[in-house]
Amino acid sequence: MPFGHDMVHSLATVVDLINTSPSTGGEDTLTDLRQLGAFVERHHVSGVEVLGETDLTQIRTLREAFHKVFTAPDQATAVIRLNTLLSSTRITPRLTEHDGHPLHVHYFAPGASLHEHLAADLGVALAHLLVEGEWGRLRTCSAPDCGHVFVDESRNRSRVYCDSRTCGNRMHVAAYRARRRA
């Protein structure tokens, strides 16, 4: 996928946000302000100064909305879900350069809350993916005990596991052992 650094960054951020949820089969790793602050810092979310309980509640709701986009049964449903999410966001596109990154577009309005910031930037990244006809790249891990989501960036769109070193390796070892027993 020949996307710019901001698109790749936004897609990685939305995947990481969704995968903090227990609805992906793991533990909830976004339960307090410390964890939210770590998420913001890890993903270099700019313009965020003070986080409060409202931010935590809104971001937890937002991640579930994004999860519904990823797990939509078809592209038309994903479009409806993403449009619903985007309609609740003030979007103010502007060009910016910061933190050593080349010129790119931010979509959140100046002074936006963390919820509006992420809804706008991450939502627009997903919108561009859908516009490019790449809805099929939004995937859920094929490992039976994993529900993590990912964006398949492989050239031939063949990736099936969220991480080849964990889920992929575990499934390949299980298949190998099953063949050896047979």
Side-chain angles (χ1 to χ4, degrees):
M1 291 185 314
F3 298 126
H5 85 278
D6 53 333
M7 175 89 160
V8 171
H9 179 264
S10 291
L11 292 173
T13 302
V14 74
V15 164
D16 193 31
L17 177 62
I18 294 167
N19 288 336
T20 66
S21 173
S23 63
T24 61
E27 211 176 290
D28 189 348
T29 57
L30 201 56
T31 60
D32 59 34
L33 289 175
R34 182 188 55 76
Q35 291 174 327
L36 180 58
F39 177 87
V40 166
E41 189 174 315
R42 184 172 58 252
H43 290 286
H44 309 287
V45 180
S46 60
V48 176
E49 294 178 18
V50 178
L51 295 172
E53 288 297 326
T54 302
D55 293 308
L56 181 61
T57 301
Q58 290 175 336
I59 294 304
R60 290 168 56 97
T61 301
L62 181 63
R63 82 176 167 190
E64 297 312 317
F66 279 130
H67 188 244
K68 288 179 180 176
V69 172
F70 265 75
T71 58
D74 52 51
Q75 182 170 330
T77 304
V79 167
I80 290 167
R81 291 175 179 176
L82 187 56
N83 276 337
T84 300
L85 188 152
L86 289 171
S87 70
S88 66
T89 304
R90 293 180 299 149
I91 296 180
T92 308
R94 68 186 186 287
L95 294 169
T96 184
E97 290 178 291
H98 60 86
D99 300 325
H101 295 294
L103 191 62
H104 59 281
V105 181
H106 279 192
Y107 295 95
F108 60 93
S113 68
L114 178 61
H115 170 267
E116 288 180 313
H117 180 137
L118 293 180
D121 275 0
L122 307 182
V124 168
L126 288 173
H128 282 292
L129 195 73
L130 293 173
V131 166
E132 293 296 323
E134 300 289 355
W135 175 76
R137 290 187 183 273
L138 303 180
R139 304 266 175 91
T140 302
C141 185
S142 292
D145 59 342
C146 182
H148 281 173
V149 299
F150 63 95
V151 177
D152 180 3
E153 296 182 50
S154 66
R155 186 174 290 170
N156 63 356
R157 296 171 180 81
S158 63
R159 187 171 156 200
V160 294
Y161 301 114
C162 64
D163 185 357
S164 61
R165 292 168 298 199
T166 55
C167 290
N169 190 47
R170 193 173 63 248
M171 297 307 297
H172 289 109
V173 167
Y176 170 78
R177 288 179 179 161
R179 285 192 306 271
R180 297 272 293 168
R181 281 191 300 271

